[in-house]
Structure formats: structure tokens, C-alpha cells
Amino acid sequence: MLVAVGWSASAQQPFFTDDADVTPKRKFHFELSNQYSFLPTSAFPNRQQNTLVYQLNYGLFDGFELGVDSPHIVIVNARNTVRPRVPYGIGDTNLTLKWNFRREAQGSKWPGLTIAYAVELPTGETRTQLGSGIVDHRLVVVAQKHLSARNTLRINQGVLFTGNNLTGVVGLRSTGLVYLSGASLTRQFAPRLSLGVEVNGAFAQRGAQNRAALQQQIGGKYSLRDNLTLDFGGIIGQFGESPRFGLQIGFSLDF
């Protein structure tokens, strides 16, 4: 069963399944994404959430990348909610390290392999549910393989050691050990257009009434120019605090 990540950082935007590629040495990669989610009834009095994420990556060495991302979150609560009905502000901030220790080689049966480590700092306000109030640590292994010239498969397997994987009110509230996994399949349909599907989620051993989250996405990228893409997707979720459905749009820039 594929059960995987609901965390904000997504180098393969619009997908949450990470890719094995890293930013080239002494180059920057910037992503801006906005996701509007309709939440499940179990999240009441939370009804909707809008998450605007800024992410900046830098290639420190060949095959080694540093990154930081921070969300701006708006939560829409039900009427007559005691807390602010529409709280907004910054959420928790992610610091990431990504090492591509094996590049995919043409003609080889081995996939490209990458290790990604992230620590999430509690910069969001807990009173209004913008932040979790705890520090998260997680490690994910990424495998990436071109099945053909146009089709690429990516698989993530990882563990959240401490904290939780909430972004605002989306994710699992369980703290402690959480297993992470996911997969995406993308196809280059035209020189400027790629489309794909993914499934991702999370499974907690203990500490939450709903211990699993699972969501699927159909999305794609359209190249506006060589270093700039428009990213878009539609999300359907099940279990836990996954959104019932959501829409995502953003862009990615290399410089």
C-alpha cells in the first residue's frame, strides 16, 4: 500500500512526491504554489484552507542542495467559531538538505537515488492552528527511473521521526513515528507540456484517532520559457485530515 507525505516541500511541483534531481551547483531554484483545500467533516469547525508556499533551493555542491520553504496559511472556520473565524499568517518553516548520491545513467537498470532530510521549525501560531508548536524531523529516500524517453516513475519511502506532518490543519495530528511513502508517474506529452498522476499519504503507529492519510493528484507542468514553468493540479483525499479535494497552481523558476 502506498502511504505517503503531506508536507509542504515539493521539488517536483505540483506533485508532493519528491524527485531525485537537485539544483545545479551555485544555481537557485524558486517555487511558488497555492493550494486551496476543502477539508473533511472530521476537521470541523475547520472548513477550508488556503496554503501559499514560497520555496527557495540552492545548489551548494554538485549533487547537494540546501532549501527553505515557508507557507502563508488562511483557515476558514465554521460560523460562531470561538477562535478567529478566518485566522491567517505564516505557518511552520522547513529547512531541507538533499543529496543525489547516485545519478540515473542512460542504459543502466539502476534508478537515480537521493536522500532528503528536513527539519520543520514551529514558526506558526498554535493558538489559531497555523503552526504545530513542535519541531519535526523526517528522512526520505527518493528513487527516480525513466521508463522510456517520455515516461518517468518516482518513488518515495521515508520516516517522520518526531513531530507531526501537519501544514496548518492538513495532515496527521499524530506525533512520533510516522511512515511516509508515495509514487508519481509523469509523461512528456509535448515539448512544453508534461502531465502525471500521483498517490501519497502517511501512516502513524499510534497517537491519533485517524492514523492514516491518503490522497491522489492529477497535475502537470507547462513551460512558459526555458527556465520558467506553470504548475497545476487537482487533489482528492481520503482518511485522516487529508483534504476532500483541492486545487493547486504555481510556478517554478531556475536562475
Side-chain angles (χ1 to χ4, degrees):
M1 178 180 178
L2 291 171
V3 287
V5 270
W7 38 321
S8 56
S10 54
Q12 195 205 341
Q13 188 171 281
F15 300 114
F16 298 100
T17 307
D18 206 352
D19 62 359
D21 302 324
V22 295
T23 305
K25 182 180 178 180
R26 297 178 183 174
K27 298 290 186 180
F28 287 95
H29 176 79
F30 176 73
E31 293 180 353
L32 177 70
S33 67
N34 191 85
Q35 179 183 321
Y36 194 87
S37 302
F38 292 85
L39 306 177
T41 55
S42 60
F44 186 86
N46 311 130
R47 291 292 183 84
Q48 295 103 34
Q49 177 173 304
N50 190 83
T51 308
L52 178 66
V53 179
Y54 307 87
Q55 178 177 332
L56 182 65
N57 299 325
Y58 177 70
L60 186 62
F61 308 114
D62 288 330
F64 191 84
E65 172 189 279
L66 301 177
V68 58
D69 68 85
S70 183
H72 186 278
I73 299 172
V74 179
I75 301 172
V76 179
N77 293 315
R79 294 182 182 274
N80 303 320
T81 303
V82 176
R83 64 175 68 95
R85 183 166 183 257
V86 187
Y88 62 91
I90 63 169
D92 294 339
T93 300
N94 275 291
L95 303 177
T96 61
L97 303 174
K98 194 174 176 185
W99 176 35
N100 177 214
F101 63 91
R102 182 183 179 90
R103 296 185 180 180
E104 184 181 0
Q106 188 174 5
S108 173
K109 295 181 179 180
W110 280 90
L113 296 172
T114 292
I115 293 177
Y117 170 77
V119 56
E120 187 174 74
L121 305 177
T123 53
E125 187 180 62
T126 58
R127 182 181 63 87
T128 54
Q129 299 180 286
L130 299 176
S132 66
I134 53 180
V135 179
D136 306 339
H137 295 275
R138 54 185 171 264
L139 185 69
V140 176
V141 178
V142 181
Q144 176 175 297
K145 180 66 177 175
H146 283 77
L147 304 179
S148 68
R150 293 188 176 187
N151 300 318
T152 306
L153 175 67
R154 298 174 175 92
I155 296 175
N156 291 183
Q157 295 290 331
V159 176
L160 175 70
F161 296 102
T162 61
N164 62 43
N165 72 336
L166 282 175
T167 299
V169 295
V170 175
L172 284 183
R173 300 178 189 275
S174 175
T175 58
L177 198 64
V178 177
Y179 298 105
L180 310 171
S181 175
S184 70
L185 179 64
T186 59
R187 178 177 174 83
Q188 195 76 33
F189 281 88
R192 290 183 175 270
L193 177 66
S194 65
L195 299 173
V197 295
E198 75 166 350
V199 58
N200 61 72
F203 179 77
Q205 284 189 318
R206 57 182 177 78
Q209 181 179 359
N210 297 313
R211 295 191 299 168
L214 182 68
Q215 66 181 39
Q216 301 85 39
Q217 181 174 191
I218 298 175
K221 303 172 77 73
Y222 181 79
S223 179
L224 301 174
R225 57 175 192 256
D226 288 344
N227 66 335
L228 178 65
T229 64
L230 175 68
D231 313 317
F232 52 90
I235 299 166
I236 297 176
Q238 301 89 28
F239 312 139
E241 286 77 28
S242 298
R244 286 184 293 128
F245 58 92
L247 298 174
Q248 184 166 249
I249 191 167
F251 69 84
S252 303
L253 175 66
D254 294 312
F255 61 99

